[in-house]
Amino acid sequence: MILLVGATGDLGGRAAKRLRASGQEVRCLVRRQTDDSPLRAIGAEVVRGDLTEPATLPPPCEGADTVIATATAISRRFAGTSSATIRDVDEVGMGHLVDAAEAAGVQRFVYLSFPIGSASLRTPLEQAKLTIERRLANSPMRTVVVRSDGLQEVQLSPAARFDLAAGKAAVIGKGDNRRRLVATGDIAALLAAVALEPDPPAQIDVGGPEPLTKKEIIGIAGELAHHPLKVQRMPRPVARMATLMLKRRNDAMASALGVGLASDIEEATWDDKPLRQRGINPKSVTEFLKEQSQALAGH
Ligand SMILES: NC(=O)c1ccc[n+]([C@@H]2O[C@H](COP(=O)([O-])OP(=O)(O)OC[C@H]3O[C@@H](n4cnc5c(N)ncnc54)[C@H](OP(=O)(O)O)[C@@H]3O)[C@@H](O)[C@H]2O)c1
């Protein structure tokens, strides 16, 4: 049985659906106030709990062979539906989940992270990911850390100031570093695969099929829209200063800015091989943008 922590999220929900569609028994840890009906509708078991309440974590781990952990507070902090900080949830709470999984005899722990290099300003989210990666490296469980490049659905959305409908986009830094934004569905498929395959690697760095700079992405979006996007720029020193200043006052904003800045500096040394090797045919950024433009045009 597979325990999913974060299954009411976009990525976590897609992983739950995939696993259920392939006949797996799935249990989901869901916060008390959160609607669990989509998960019940696919036949998943739901256990109420919260990463910030350590006493709620052992029961869902009982009898689980594998845990897949995608939960994060960042989007809920932006939406105002989590008063718990990124440190409370992503670092301390996730640490308690690792403890509970170990104590319950869980065999495999699949954890979603992202690549963090030397340009990192150690924002709360980066700090949490590094702490949990280190914690898992010392665990007796079989651990699989999936470090995913940015998700297309998140990084190319109005929330990340990439607004196709309004015809505008923001660029943090120079915008000329190639990254490999990847489809959320492809990462969900990867998580489902590594939860089940007999001998998964301890670490998987992965991105989408198309290495593109932010400027190139904005160019493609402009061509598809038949008019150039209006670009708002934030120079690197300004982004750096804002990230450092916001670290204490606004953990979600500091973390998002920090990720944006690091993505402008650190080149992708990873690719889409981990997806293709598992029979996942990854969606390119161009395909994603075409779908978005068609949806906007009402097709
Ligand atoms: N965005 C990117 O570009 C990117 C890149 C690489 C990796 N990632 C990683 O991808 C994952 C995001 O997955 P997603 O799209 O499914 O996220 P999401 O849509 O923001 O969902 C967050 C999930 O975490 C749960 N959660 C929040 N606080 C919790 C708590 N205190 N206790 C238990 N659960 C809690 C939420 O539950 P509720 O529904 O109850 O709030 C929800 O299920 C994260 O691990 C993120 O770091 C993202």
Side-chain angles (χ1 to χ4, degrees):
M1 196 262 299
I2 299 174
L3 171 66
L4 279 164
V5 181
T8 52
D10 186 20
L11 172 61
R14 293 179 200 234
K17 265 196 204 138
R18 272 199 97 89
L19 287 163
R20 283 298 301 140
S22 66
Q24 296 302 314
E25 250 188 277
V26 169
R27 180 186 289 162
C28 304
L29 175 89
V30 178
R31 293 198 291 162
R32 263 184 297 278
Q33 65 274 35
T34 302
D35 178 17
D36 63 357
S37 53
L39 295 170
R40 291 194 185 279
I42 59 167
E45 178 192 348
V46 170
V47 178
R48 294 291 175 174
D50 193 309
L51 286 173
T52 62
E53 297 169 26
T56 66
L57 302 177
C61 291
E62 275 316 312
D65 308 302
T66 296
V67 172
I68 302 178
T70 58
T72 177
I74 187 167
S75 54
R76 300 340 187 200
R77 299 279 290 159
F78 274 123
T81 55
S82 173
S83 54
T85 63
I86 291 174
R87 187 177 133 71
D88 293 337
V89 175
D90 294 57
E91 186 168 340
V92 179
M94 192 60 80
H96 287 313
L97 177 67
V98 177
D99 293 342
E102 282 175 355
V106 167
Q107 285 146 38
R108 187 176 299 190
F109 197 102
V110 180
Y111 176 62
L112 190 65
S113 188
F114 55 81
I116 300 168
S118 53
S120 160
L121 294 175
R122 296 294 187 268
T123 61
L125 190 59
E126 289 167 330
Q127 192 54 55
K129 295 291 185 193
L130 290 172
T131 302
I132 299 303
E133 285 194 20
R134 273 199 297 268
R135 170 75 183 80
L136 290 172
N138 293 314
S139 173
M141 294 185 290
R142 174 136 208 175
T143 61
V144 186
V145 173
V146 174
R147 293 183 179 155
S148 164
D149 204 327
L151 301 172
Q152 293 165 2
E153 286 77 359
V154 178
Q155 301 304 331
L156 302 180
S157 75
R161 293 169 154 262
F162 186 94
D163 194 337
L164 273 185
K168 53 186 188 183
V171 173
I172 296 176
K174 298 182 178 172
D176 57 6
N177 185 39
R178 289 211 159 80
R179 290 295 287 245
R180 288 177 172 267
L181 296 184
V182 61
T184 304
D186 293 335
I187 297 299
L190 178 64
L191 293 176
V194 298
L196 296 169
E197 67 192 38
D199 191 18
Q203 185 189 315
I204 301 176
D205 291 10
V206 62
E210 204 177 15
L212 288 174
T213 68
K214 195 69 180 280
K215 282 183 188 162
E216 288 168 338
I217 294 175
I218 289 171
I220 295 168
E223 273 173 32
L224 289 168
H226 304 297
H227 55 79
L229 266 61
K230 231 171 140 181
V231 178
Q232 203 181 27
R233 294 179 193 285
M234 182 183 272
R236 281 183 188 172
V238 176
R240 191 185 153 78
M241 180 111 69
T243 304
L244 294 173
M245 277 171 55
L246 286 169
K247 256 186 180 183
R248 288 223 163 72
R249 292 211 322 262
N250 187 334
D251 59 354
M253 188 59 83
S255 296
L257 269 177
V259 165
L261 184 58
S263 303
D264 190 59
I265 297 171
E266 285 163 0
E267 234 176 289
T269 52
W270 46 89
D271 58 27
D272 61 351
K273 263 191 225 96
L275 300 170
R276 295 193 186 277
Q277 279 165 352
R278 292 168 177 83
I280 303 161
N281 182 21
K283 187 190 287 183
S284 68
V285 167
T286 304
E287 285 172 281
F288 172 79
L289 290 174
K290 275 187 187 152
E291 284 174 9
Q292 299 293 304
S293 316
Q294 282 166 2
L296 277 176
H299 297 306

